[in-house]
Amino acid sequence: MISKNAVLQKLAPFTNFKKVLIDDQNTSDIVEGILDNQDQYEKEYDKISEMFIGDNEVETARNVFDFLKQNVPYYIEPIEKQTLRSPSAILCMKSGADCKSYASFINGVMSSLNRKGVFRVPLSYRFASYRYDTKEPQHVFSVLYPGTNNEIWVDPVLPKFDQRKEPVFIKDKKIKMALIAMSGTATQPIASLQEMERYRDKLVNMRDKYLNAGVLTYGSSKELEFKVAISKVTKAIQDASITSISGISNQIGDIDWNNLFGKLVDTAGKFAPQPGGFSPGYQGPTLPQYQQQTPSSGISTNMLLLYGIGGIALYFIFRKK
């Protein structure tokens, strides 16, 4: 379960500053205000988005939905005083949050993960009218894969995830997908599907090994770094399975994966501290033995440095166009 306090610790402090959108604001003002508000707080959502990562984009959206249901009560703002809030304001105001804040938080997190290359999921704000006499929206919520047969509705105003109360009229405002460029040398071979699967399996085995050994702890920032990397490779594999390797070569870059990433994975094992041995069922390679040292409950300096270098390498390997 994601802790509200843990999320708030990463965000800029809430100052209780309130800003009314505009005196006598109309629907157009509110729509534009929501989109501008998301752009304004991109960096704040970047601080927390990885805390919500699940096995895929749908589970990630479910995690955000559950978090808001558990921590932010629903509150209807007066028509004459419509406000937009920062992420910390959404979480801190005791009165709760309205549908604008819910949709902003959900799309803020999901859009951040798109920018980081974890997902490439189309998103939109869906403005909805439930009245036959006007198309002016009375409600807004987040939609994944808008305009397709695979839509996922994320609306914490309703009791359940992907629950649907069909509007009479809708208007979607899609969030622009970030273009993430990656360069490579044309002389290097393109990774095969089997290579990508092998590297994904190496990452999974490394993570499980370190978790079993006590080097990593579940839910820690370092465990999340592994989850991010695994998600990126898995998404590349899924894309390759659909479009073929040549179809995604521009997205993953022409990288000599076997040399670059293989060395990164193999090197990581050499720096792993020895907390007293792995579980009897572990059949991985024997790690080098060092002189006896005082036991440490955390991760060694070498390990932290390696993760920093590894994170940069993974960023350049896996980020997508």
Side-chain angles (χ1 to χ4, degrees), residues 190-207:
I190 297 174
S192 69
L193 181 60
Q194 291 74 23
E195 284 176 316
M196 287 193 288
E197 290 173 341
R198 184 166 68 250
Y199 298 138
R200 189 267 314 277
D201 293 342
K202 281 187 178 182
L203 275 173
V204 172
N205 290 335
M206 279 179 62
R207 179 198 60 186

Side-chain angles (χ1 to χ4, degrees), residues 188-321:
Q188 292 175 327
I190 297 174
S192 69
L193 181 60
Q194 291 74 23
E195 284 176 316
M196 287 193 288
E197 290 173 341
R198 184 166 68 250
Y199 298 138
R200 189 267 314 277
D201 293 342
K202 281 187 178 182
L203 275 173
V204 172
N205 290 335
M206 279 179 62
R207 179 198 60 186
D208 293 346
K209 177 177 67 177
Y210 294 153
L211 286 170
N212 291 334
V215 176
L216 295 177
T217 56
Y218 286 99
S220 68
S221 61
K222 296 305 176 186
E223 195 257 345
L224 282 175
E225 287 179 14
F226 271 95
K227 184 176 286 189
V228 169
I230 292 166
S231 295
K232 289 180 180 180
V233 187
T234 301
K235 187 66 169 69
I237 292 170
Q238 292 171 343
D239 290 346
S241 299
I242 296 172
T243 64
S244 80
I245 289 292
S246 59
I248 65 166
S249 60
N250 290 333
Q251 297 181 31
I252 62 176
D254 297 331
I255 300 295
D256 187 347
W257 288 41
N258 194 48
N259 283 333
L260 183 59
F261 187 64
K263 289 179 181 178
L264 174 65
V265 172
D266 294 337
T267 303
K270 296 178 182 179
F271 284 95
Q274 304 298 300
F278 297 104
S279 62
Y282 175 68
Q283 300 295 323
T286 301
L287 299 180
Q289 299 297 315
Y290 298 98
Q291 292 181 349
Q292 185 173 2
Q293 299 176 356
T294 303
S296 170
S297 60
I299 299 178
S300 69
T301 301
N302 281 340
M303 192 65 176
L304 291 173
L305 290 172
L306 176 65
Y307 276 129
I309 297 170
I312 295 172
L314 289 171
Y315 177 76
F316 283 104
I317 292 170
F318 299 121
R319 65 176 181 168
K320 293 184 179 180
K321 184 175 180 182

